[in-house]
Amino acid sequence: MTESRILNSRYDVGDLIGRGGMADVYRARDIRLGRVVAIKLLRRDLARDPVFQTRFRREAQAVAGLNHPSIVAVYDTGEEEIDGAGDHEVKAPFIVMEYVKGKTLRDLLKAGELTPESSVRYTLGVLEALQYSHRQGIVHRDIKPSNVMVTADDQVKVMDFGIARALADSAATMTQTQAVVGTAQYFSPEQARGETVDARSDLYSAGCLLYELLTGRPPFTGDSPVSVAYQHVSEEAAAPSTHNTDLGPKIDQVISTALAKDREDRYQDAAAFSAALRAAQDDRPVPRDRGDATQALAVMPMSTQAMVTTDAPTRALSTGSDAPSDAGEDHDGGSSPDPAEHTTAMAVAAGSSPATGVQASVEEQHTESSLFGHDDDRNHRDEDAEHYRTSRRRAWITVFSILAVVVLAAGAWFFWNWTQQEQERNATVAVPNVANLSLTAAQNQIYGSNLIPITEEVYDPKVKAGTVVGTDPKAGSQARQQSEVHLLVSKGPEQVTLPKDLAGQSEATVRSTLDALGLEVSNDVKRENTATVELGSLISTNPQLGEKVKAGSSVELTISTGKVTVPSVMDLDEDKAREVLADKAVGLNLAVETEQNPVLKPGTITKQVPEAGQDIDQGGTVTITVVEEPGPSAPPSSSDGAGSGSADPSGGSSDSANPSGSAPTTPKAADPSKKGNGAERSHPTNPGKPSK
């Protein structure tokens, strides 16, 4: 457990609020500005690795210049010295960030609090943040639900630029250990292949994010990150409307473009993605952000397309099979004479009408045939005509029969296909047994059974928090494919006991223990003086230690200040004062100084430092001044009172100083060498005894 500490003589580090792959996040207070911040500190076991130190410092450099309401702000950076190997000291870097109080999109997704409208709104916020970071030359490279926070006022905050890079450095997709960075379920095909990345890679991840928010599942799932990465590279994701029937084809079109394998086929920037998503949300035509030849042909007028595809063959057919394709046009751009008109002109030039010419030709043929003796040719022609008419009737009957068979076959096929789809839609599968598994493992099994998992938290005294208790419907029962299965996830026992051994523990240890028990710590932390509990440690709690409380309830802490309030000993003697200060509840030392005072009774305490009511450190010393008994007075010498003519310091005789002639009196303690400054320090083990 980490003790409470101060970083850079400014940040008071509090409890642990998050833990990532390479850093721990603590809640802290900026002593200078009096505000709550979040401190991201590189883990001590990784601080000795220069690779992780470089990545951590790159994150600070990446986000230090980003100032956008949808991106978590960075206030300060620094380093903490920790013990290294031998005498070598290692500096662990840290980042001071904006403290965001809210939930991640992962939490909202697990709780089932997302709707299609809110999912689109949050994705638009992420795209605004990406548009700004891309404009600043920064690629995030790890967009996923757990890296997007939603504040209490519904504001999106994109965080964790831990693997971000500048666009100019985007070629370094691999780390120094040649491991692909990112999260398998959300990274782009080029990240999976280890190729260069750019802003369009973030847009692919944003498409995966939107897909999961709308359907409750990522576009690709698998047993391992490798299998998921393979699907990103080689397989097409199912349309979102197949998992959520409330979605329309326009949303499918937007997500299909965002998840294109070739980045040239995706949206080229976040603004284009946002415009398409807003159009789909408003049920407007989705704009296309690509201007290739296919699109140009697609928007060409139908008359023009018909001209391009059919005009030349039609002209060739009108001029005969052996005519060139441009026979219908002369070199001057005009039209050539119609072939029928040309034939008619030839017939008129011969001196007959077209009909007359044709009739004459037939009659000549008939006359010629009669000359050769074929008188029954007319009968043969009648038989041929009848045979032709019969053949046509049979052909039409055959055609109609074939059409009827085709229609019946098509109807039968559609009916069979419909029944198969209905059977598949109504097919049931057994609900797998996922009890005592982690939430992620249970979700993968439910997805693998073609079911949709819905997370629901319950109290359970036997199953630890975060582990699946069971399912609804129960394991083994039959459920329709693509139906919802509720995963009952344990929140731990409904009531927990406050450990008695927390008394005397550090505040950070107490907070971590209570958080592990599913309890919250009240923001109103009391500070009290005590002689028995060291500075920063727990004195008591409310509810008291040892009591049972409901999970999730708030606990008030009383923490030691490391100081003791000085009691008053002015009305006591030295022995009684020593006894009061030595009491276990006070725990202070006593120092005694003495002074002579002819007015006060010996043993009287005349002064106390510090005074009563003041706070001093635990185990401190209280100094008292005690009146001592006066020492024996020396007898007056014979020269003191003999002779009336002795000199007086004032310059006169003793007779003049004592007109009555009586012997002068000697005041007590008149010797300044013995009295000194009026106070003497006694031996600590024998208070009150005058020093010699």
Side-chain angles (χ1 to χ4, degrees), residues 27 191 200 290 358 460 533 587 626 638 678:
R27 185 176 183 270
Q191 285 177 281
R200 293 169 293 184
R290 298 186 302 275
V358 174
D460 193 289
V533 180
V626 182
S638 58

Side-chain angles (χ1 to χ4, degrees), residues 85 386 497 592 661 685:
E386 182 64 24
T497 303
V592 181
T685 59

Side-chain angles (χ1 to χ4, degrees), residues 227-298:
S227 65
V228 176
Y230 175 81
Q231 295 178 65
H232 278 291
V233 174
S234 59
E235 296 184 10
E236 295 292 336
S241 58
T242 60
H243 303 295
N244 186 351
T245 56
D246 295 334
L247 302 177
K250 294 181 180 179
I251 287 291
D252 291 348
Q253 178 183 350
V254 172
I255 294 181
S256 175
T257 303
L259 298 184
K261 304 300 181 187
D262 188 350
R263 71 183 86 186
E264 298 295 336
D265 297 332
R266 299 178 206 150
Y267 297 110
Q268 301 302 296
D269 54 38
F273 195 168
S274 298
L277 188 56
R278 292 182 189 277
Q281 183 184 29
D282 299 337
D283 200 20
R284 294 184 284 105
V286 177
R288 298 178 181 268
D289 197 29
R290 298 186 302 275
D292 53 6
T294 303
Q295 182 181 1
L297 182 60

Side-chain angles (χ1 to χ4, degrees), residues 6-238:
I6 305 295
L7 295 181
N8 275 12
S9 302
R10 176 174 178 177
Y11 302 105
D12 185 8
V13 180
D15 52 323
L16 179 68
I17 60 176
R19 177 162 290 170
M22 68 174 182
D24 296 333
V25 182
Y26 295 88
R27 185 176 183 270
R29 188 173 68 88
D30 188 341
I31 301 175
R32 185 177 304 171
L33 299 180
R35 65 181 176 186
V36 177
V37 297
I39 293 184
K40 189 172 185 179
L41 181 65
L42 184 64
R43 283 167 39 192
R44 296 196 170 204
D45 56 331
L46 302 178
R48 300 172 180 85
D49 191 338
V51 175
F52 286 96
Q53 284 206 2
T54 301
R55 285 183 57 191
F56 195 86
R57 290 189 176 95
R58 186 172 66 240
E59 177 183 2
Q61 295 173 358
V63 296
L66 299 181
N67 183 15
H68 191 271
S70 295
I71 299 177
V72 175
V74 172
Y75 299 143
D76 194 7
T77 60
E79 294 180 338
E80 180 189 28
E81 292 188 356
I82 60 176
D83 295 332
D87 296 333
H88 180 65
E89 295 218 340
V90 179
K91 293 184 178 180
F94 64 87
I95 304 173
V96 183
M97 304 180 297
E98 174 187 7
Y99 179 75
V100 180
K101 191 172 184 180
K103 296 181 179 180
T104 65
L105 289 182
R106 172 68 63 197
D107 297 334
L108 295 176
L109 190 61
K110 289 181 179 179
E113 298 178 6
L114 293 176
T115 63
E117 293 75 17
S118 63
S119 300
V120 171
R121 185 170 66 254
Y122 296 148
T123 304
L124 289 173
V126 173
L127 291 175
E128 288 180 5
L130 290 179
Q131 182 179 359
Y132 177 82
S133 67
H134 294 166
R135 193 162 56 244
Q136 302 301 316
I138 299 299
V139 181
H140 189 285
R141 302 202 305 168
D142 197 19
I143 294 295
K144 56 185 178 181
S146 58
N147 281 344
V148 180
M149 291 279 293
V150 178
T151 63
D153 57 352
D154 219 32
Q155 173 70 35
V156 171
K157 292 283 187 179
V158 179
M159 58 184 180
D160 199 359
F161 281 71
I163 62 174
R165 281 188 181 272
L167 284 171
D169 194 28
S170 60
T173 305
M174 300 282 188
T175 62
Q176 290 186 7
T177 57
Q178 293 301 306
V180 179
V181 295
T183 305
Q185 290 180 328
Y186 308 98
F187 61 27
S188 60
E190 56 267 25
Q191 285 177 281
R193 292 190 294 263
E195 299 174 356
T196 60
V197 299
D198 57 17
R200 293 169 293 184
S201 304
D202 280 351
L203 301 184
Y204 184 97
S205 301
C208 295
L209 170 71
L210 178 59
Y211 189 107
E212 184 171 0
L213 297 184
L214 292 174
T215 64
R217 56 174 293 170
F220 300 109
T221 58
D223 297 331
S224 66
V226 175
S227 65
V228 176
Y230 175 81
Q231 295 178 65
H232 278 291
V233 174
S234 59
E235 296 184 10
E236 295 292 336

Side-chain angles (χ1 to χ4, degrees), residues 424-576:
E424 183 178 355
R425 188 172 63 87
N426 295 318
T428 60
V429 293
V431 178
N433 185 7
V434 295
N436 297 319
L437 295 180
S438 65
L439 178 59
T440 302
Q443 286 177 330
N444 288 336
Q445 286 203 21
I446 296 297
Y447 281 131
S449 299
N450 205 15
L451 299 170
I452 300 175
I454 302 297
T455 303
E456 181 179 341
E457 294 185 336
V458 296
Y459 291 106
D460 193 289
K462 297 181 180 179
V463 181
K464 68 178 183 178
T467 304
V468 176
V469 178
T471 58
D472 182 20
K474 294 183 179 180
S477 60
Q478 295 294 317
R480 195 175 70 178
Q481 292 185 8
Q482 294 299 318
S483 61
E484 295 181 351
V485 174
H486 289 261
L487 290 176
L488 306 180
V489 182
S490 174
K491 294 197 297 185
E494 186 172 6
Q495 285 192 336
V496 295
T497 303
L498 292 174
K500 293 183 179 181
D501 58 357
L502 287 181
Q505 299 290 332
S506 66
E507 182 179 355
T509 301
V510 173
R511 287 179 178 271
S512 178
T513 303
L514 295 180
D515 181 67
L517 293 175
L519 300 173
E520 294 184 359
V521 177
S522 173
N523 292 330
D524 186 15
V525 178
K526 297 180 180 179
R527 307 285 176 175
E528 290 185 1
N529 295 345
T530 177
T532 57
V533 180
E534 64 181 8
L535 171 65
S537 299
L538 180 68
I539 300 176
S540 62
T541 61
N542 183 24
Q544 297 181 359
L545 297 178
E547 291 187 5
K548 287 187 176 181
V549 296
K550 187 176 181 180
S553 58
S554 179
V555 179
E556 295 181 356
L557 305 182
T558 302
I559 304 299
S560 171
T561 62
K563 294 184 178 297
V564 178
T565 302
V566 178
S568 176
V569 296
M570 292 296 295
D571 297 332
L572 308 176
D573 57 23
E574 178 182 346
D575 293 337
K576 188 63 177 177

